[in-house]
Amino acid sequence: LGSYIYVVERKLDQQDRRQEKARRALRFDPDQVSGLRLSTSDLQLALEKKDTDWRMVQPFQARADAGEVAGILDELEMLVRSDVITGREQRKQNLTPSDFGFAQPRARITLRENGQELTLLIGRDAPLGGTMFLKRESEQSIFAASTNLWNVLPRSPSDLRERQVFLGPPAEFARLEIRQPDGLTQLTRTDQGAWRLQKPVVGRAAYATIQSILNSLMEVRAVDFVAESIAASSLYGLDEPQAQITLAGSRAYGDQVLRIGRSEERRSNERYAAQEGSESIFTISSDLLPALEFNATDLRD
């Protein structure tokens, strides 16, 4: 029985996998994709990958959420063809690509993998519910596939933006600075992993207290993106911020500086904020500032 399972069932399983791969609409390695472009009637979006990080380069420069991008790539990789209509069958039935919605496709998705580009067009919904027509731009054949892909595509650039403010493992941070109107608090991590106060006094810091502050900072997320230029930062209270937080030492992200401005007019539970090196102005929860209300004695070991 064991031999039968190993020889026969294993072979059938491999055959099923090969058949499933043969039905895939696109053949690419998501890990090798370095560029993604999406074009619809309402959205022109382009993303570039550097190392393991994704960045939005159109319509503006911003960090992209790698998890959201991976979700789109996974959906594209798992896209299965059904009801394939070849170019010959289209001519035989006197059909044209426009009959399937490709005169003005709903979306155009282009992947760049190892210097080669692959473009997929999305047409209209198919008569069979839950499916839509798709085709590779370089091929005549048209096929139907699940509308799941359409559902995971972003409707605005904000859907793909990275909302986590501070990035990197907390264990890598070697310096924490919190500048507020009443002064500067500066802490550094020793080679042994202990934290020390440098300002406003010098001394050992309470490890658990500093880790709690770091955890709070790692949970800070952008609630809403309000502007893509910091030219008018004074309008948001960022020229004289209520607080400026610096986390330094991350090997991948370097020094990260967050400035927190005044309250948002319509939502008092949010404050304007901006990061050094970025043109974006966004809002964060106002709950962060009370968490930073401490004195040097609170941080002492």
Side-chain angles (χ1 to χ4, degrees):
L1 178 60
S3 299
Y4 175 83
I5 292 173
Y6 181 78
V7 176
V8 179
E9 296 292 341
R10 184 166 173 264
K11 184 177 180 181
L12 292 174
D13 184 53
Q14 291 175 343
Q15 290 176 346
D16 290 342
R17 291 179 183 177
R18 285 196 294 268
Q19 291 174 356
E20 182 183 351
K21 286 186 176 181
R23 294 176 58 205
R24 299 271 178 89
L26 307 173
R27 295 184 182 180
F28 69 95
D29 183 356
D31 293 334
Q32 297 301 315
V33 174
S34 59
L36 170 64
R37 295 200 307 273
L38 171 64
S39 175
T40 69
S41 58
D42 302 318
L43 182 64
Q44 300 292 324
L45 195 64
L47 299 106
E48 300 285 343
K49 184 181 181 183
K50 184 178 180 181
D51 298 326
T52 59
D53 295 327
W54 282 94
R55 285 196 63 84
M56 195 177 299
V57 296
Q58 187 186 1
F60 43 74
Q61 296 275 345
R63 295 185 314 202
D65 188 326
E68 293 292 335
V69 178
I72 296 174
L73 295 178
D74 288 344
E75 197 65 45
L76 286 168
E77 184 192 19
M78 300 301 294
L79 200 61
V80 175
R81 297 178 297 176
S82 63
D83 301 326
V84 179
I85 308 169
T86 65
R88 181 178 180 181
E89 291 172 334
Q90 295 172 45
R91 292 189 294 272
K92 187 176 180 180
Q93 299 179 42
N94 199 28
L95 296 171
T96 66
S98 61
D99 294 315
F100 300 91
F102 294 111
Q104 292 183 324
R106 279 195 292 175
R108 179 188 300 268
I109 305 170
T110 300
L111 303 178
R112 185 174 69 249
E113 180 188 14
N114 297 325
Q116 302 294 318
E117 289 196 343
L118 167 65
T119 299
L120 179 71
L121 306 179
I122 300 180
R124 64 176 178 82
D125 287 343
L128 184 61
T131 60
M132 58 186 179
F133 291 116
L134 302 100
K135 73 182 292 290
R136 291 181 59 166
E137 190 174 45
S138 59
E139 298 178 355
Q140 290 184 335
S141 295
I142 295 170
F143 60 91
S146 169
T147 56
N148 287 346
L149 173 62
W150 178 254
N151 295 332
V152 302
L153 293 180
R155 299 300 182 255
S156 73
S158 296
D159 293 340
L160 287 185
R161 296 194 65 167
E162 174 61 76
R163 293 180 180 269
Q164 186 172 342
V165 174
F166 292 107
L167 301 178
E172 285 188 0
F173 298 130
R175 189 177 83 252
L176 168 62
E177 293 182 359
I178 302 173
R179 189 181 297 275
Q180 295 173 295
D182 58 352
L184 169 66
T185 301
Q186 184 184 75
L187 300 111
T188 57
R189 191 198 296 265
T190 67
D191 294 338
Q192 292 73 35
W195 283 97
R196 287 191 61 84
L197 266 166
Q198 301 296 337
K199 293 181 180 180
V201 295
V202 177
R204 295 183 309 188
Y207 184 87
T209 302
I210 307 308
Q211 286 301 121
S212 177
I213 294 173
L214 288 176
N215 292 338
S216 298
L217 293 177
M218 298 307 294
E219 293 174 358
V220 177
R221 297 180 64 83
V223 178
D224 191 19
F225 295 94
V226 298
E228 295 306 323
S229 173
I230 60 172
S233 59
S234 60
L235 296 177
Y236 305 97
L238 296 169
D239 54 338
E240 296 180 0
Q242 292 297 302
Q244 178 172 298
I245 304 167
T246 301
L247 276 177
S250 171
R251 288 189 290 269
Y253 303 101
D255 292 1
Q256 301 175 69
V257 181
L258 174 69
R259 288 181 292 159
I260 303 174
R262 62 179 179 79
S263 296
E264 211 270 5
E265 297 90 342
R266 296 163 298 173
R267 300 185 291 270
S268 59
N269 61 334
E270 295 177 22
R271 283 184 172 271
Y272 294 112
Q275 284 185 289
E276 194 171 276
S278 171
E279 291 289 313
S280 300
I281 295 176
F282 50 91
T283 61
I284 62 173
S285 171
S286 297
D287 294 340
L288 179 60
L289 282 183
L292 302 178
E293 292 179 354
F294 47 73
N295 55 48
T297 303
D298 298 328
L299 303 179
R300 297 291 294 266
D301 186 342

